[in-house]
């Protein structure tokens, strides 16, 4: 019986990808309860894995510097990473994301057994040696990423895994967040609605002025407090947000990933472009209004029936009215649930 005791899981996706890998990480932990599990992951993703409780250790890797950095320095970093990995003497490597560099890392790890996702044109999965191999990835725009990660585990006879990513927040982060909200006078007992106006590419961003109009509608009509979340890439928006948004909003731009999760767990709704923070909000149980252009694949949508997804051919053509109606329906559902629970 295959019973590894020291497993390396390579999980080099971006922040949202790592959130969507949580069902697979949980399934690995459940399948090998006596094993020590280390997850190699980027820095933001490492904080997500830490919150999940599905790993004994994270190995934080700057995957962008490895791939795109100054070549001699990248090679040095890669050799150092390989040295660190070899010293840990893993007996099994699972590569969920499967890029050529991650497949190579697994091969050089010295682990006697290697199971890799098979991604034609992107992976070097011939470096894997686990039999039988997992199915070849097909139709990545249709098959959900959660299922593609779970497909990698089919040779391990993992069945009926829980598909919903779930994160628990920590008391220390909730306490730190409460201090921030009290200081910003955002703890008045009214519903909190979060907005995330950023995205990795301008074509995936709903215009800032439309987010501002949405905030104005919600404040005037629904008596909510608006929290605007910004990551490091969105801090350049602060000046425009202060000019365009209602003055009562609270901008949260200095949160750690665990504090972000704690904040999102407090929200009645989270309105967002297609981003990693959107996936964290869904994972802590907050209903999401997701704004997408029609080119976006279905394979990254948040799972569950509490969310609303609004498409248009061009994201800027999504109307404020559409988003307001969707957000208000979530608020109404939450108020109804509270009424019946009381």
């Amino acid at each position: 019986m295959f019973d590894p005791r020291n497993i390396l899981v390579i999980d080099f996706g971006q922040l949202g990808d790592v959130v969507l890998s949580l069902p697979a990480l949980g399934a690995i932990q459940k399948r090998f309860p006596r094993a020590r599990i280390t997850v190699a992951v980027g820095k933001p993703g490492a904080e997500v894995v830490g919150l999940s409780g599905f790993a004994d250790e994270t190995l934080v890797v700057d995957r962008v510097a490895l791939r795109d950095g100054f070549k001699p320095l990248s090679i040095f970093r890669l050799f150092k990473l390989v040295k660190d990995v070899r010293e840990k003497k893993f007996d099994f490597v699972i590569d969920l994301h499967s890029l050529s560099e991650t497949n190579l890392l697994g091969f050089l790890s010295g682990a006697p057994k290697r199971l890799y996702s098979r991604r034609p044109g992107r992976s070097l999965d011939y470096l894997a040696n686990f039999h039988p191999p997992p199915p070849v990835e097909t139709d990545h725009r249709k098959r959900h990423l959660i299922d593609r990660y779970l497909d990698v585990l089919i040779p391990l006879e993992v069945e009926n895994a829980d598909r919903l990513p779930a994160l628990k927040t920590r008391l220390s982060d909730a306490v730190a967040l409460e201090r921030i909200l009290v200081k910003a006078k955002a703890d008045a007992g009214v519903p909190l609605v979060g907005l995330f106006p950023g995205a990795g590419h301008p074509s995936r961003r709903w215009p800032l002025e439309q987010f501002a109009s949405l905030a104005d509608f919600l404040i005037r009509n629904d008596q909510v407090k608006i929290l605007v979340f910004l990551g490091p890439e969105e801090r350049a928006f602060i000046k425009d947000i202060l000019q365009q948004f209602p003055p009562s909003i609270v901008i949260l731009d200095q949160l750690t990933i665990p504090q972000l999760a704690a904040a999102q767990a407090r929200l009645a709704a989270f309105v967002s472009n297609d981003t990693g923070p959107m996936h964290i909000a869904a994972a802590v149980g907050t209903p999401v209004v997701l704004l997408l252009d029609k080119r976006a694949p279905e394979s990254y949508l948040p799972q569950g029936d509490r969310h609303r997804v609004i498409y248009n051919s061009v994201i800027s053509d999504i109307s404020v009215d559409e988003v307001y109606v969707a957000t208000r329906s979530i608020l109404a559902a939450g108020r109804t649930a509270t009424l019946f629970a009381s």
Side-chain angles (χ1 to χ4, degrees), residues 179-214:
R179 291 196 198 100
I180 294 169
L181 295 180
V182 168
K183 187 175 180 182
K185 297 183 173 57
D187 62 331
V190 298
L192 302 176
V193 173
L195 309 181
F196 195 92
H201 191 275
S203 68
R204 290 162 48 199
R205 294 182 202 141
W206 199 45
L208 205 57
E209 60 269 22
Q210 286 167 247
F211 270 109
S213 295
L214 175 68

Side-chain angles (χ1 to χ4, degrees), residues 327-337:
T327 309
R328 202 171 192 194
S329 73
I330 286 175
L331 294 175
R335 285 166 179 155
T336 302

Side-chain angles (χ1 to χ4, degrees), residues 87-107:
E87 285 175 353
K88 293 181 183 292
K89 294 182 166 51
F90 294 108
D91 53 10
F92 187 32
V93 174
I94 302 171
D95 190 344
L96 292 175
H97 207 66
S98 216
L99 303 168
S100 56
E101 61 265 31
T102 61
N103 290 164
L104 189 60
L105 173 63
F107 179 74

Side-chain angles (χ1 to χ4, degrees), residues 180 228-232 234-235 238 250-256:
I180 294 169
V228 180
F229 294 83
L230 304 175
E234 290 83 37
R235 289 192 186 125
I238 289 179
V250 174
I251 296 174
L252 298 174
D253 67 329
Q254 302 284 341
L255 300 182
T256 65

Side-chain angles (χ1 to χ4, degrees), residues 68-142:
D68 301 335
F70 178 55
K71 284 302 174 193
L73 190 55
S74 293
I75 292 168
F76 170 76
R77 285 176 175 140
L78 181 60
F79 275 106
K80 184 178 184 308
L81 177 59
V82 169
K83 179 174 178 289
D84 292 345
V85 166
R86 290 183 71 89
E87 285 175 353
K88 293 181 183 292
K89 294 182 166 51
F90 294 108
D91 53 10
F92 187 32
V93 174
I94 302 171
D95 190 344
L96 292 175
H97 207 66
S98 216
L99 303 168
S100 56
E101 61 265 31
T102 61
N103 290 164
L104 189 60
L105 173 63
F107 179 74
L108 295 174
S109 71
K113 285 291 182 184
R114 300 178 299 279
L115 173 62
Y116 294 171
S117 169
R118 299 168 70 195
R119 306 176 71 194
R122 301 196 67 179
S123 61
L124 305 176
D125 54 276
Y126 58 82
L127 296 176
N129 63 357
F130 196 92
H131 296 287
V136 175
E137 178 183 277
T138 57
D139 202 8
H140 69 276
R141 291 184 65 84
K142 292 286 186 183

